[in-house]
């Protein structure tokens, strides 16, 4: 079991609905890739914790790093 933890900031102000949409997309993507996780959003910042197989974590981390 491997873990990837990161903090990011929104590039613009986000509505509650947009944050809910992001959380839903994270849940779907994590489930599809065999990952578990936790996403916390507060005042335009996100804390995301992912756990799973090392290869799946590495692939997801690369995608996250390339996401503006």
């Amino acid at each position: 079991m491997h873990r990837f933890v990161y903090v990011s900031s929104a590039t613009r102000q986000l509505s509650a609905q947009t944050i809910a949409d992001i959380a839903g997309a994270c849940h779907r993507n994590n489930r599809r890739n065999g990952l578990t996780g936790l996403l916390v959003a507060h005042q335009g910042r996100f804390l995301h914790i992912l756990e799973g197989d090392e290869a799946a974590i590495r692939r997801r981390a690369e995608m996250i790093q390339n996401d503006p």
Side-chain angles (χ1 to χ4, degrees), residues 8-58:
S8 63
S9 298
T11 57
R12 61 184 169 82
Q13 188 168 351
L14 302 175
S15 69
Q17 182 59 54
T18 300
I19 293 170
D21 293 344
I22 290 169
C26 287
H27 177 73
R28 286 188 301 278
N29 292 337
N30 292 346
R31 189 173 188 182
R32 180 181 63 235
N33 293 302
L35 301 172
T36 58
L38 170 73
L39 178 68
V40 177
H42 181 68
Q43 296 182 345
R45 306 228 32 202
F46 295 90
L47 168 68
H48 200 177
I49 302 169
L50 295 170
E51 292 183 329
D53 173 77
E54 181 179 7
I57 290 286
R58 288 187 183 277

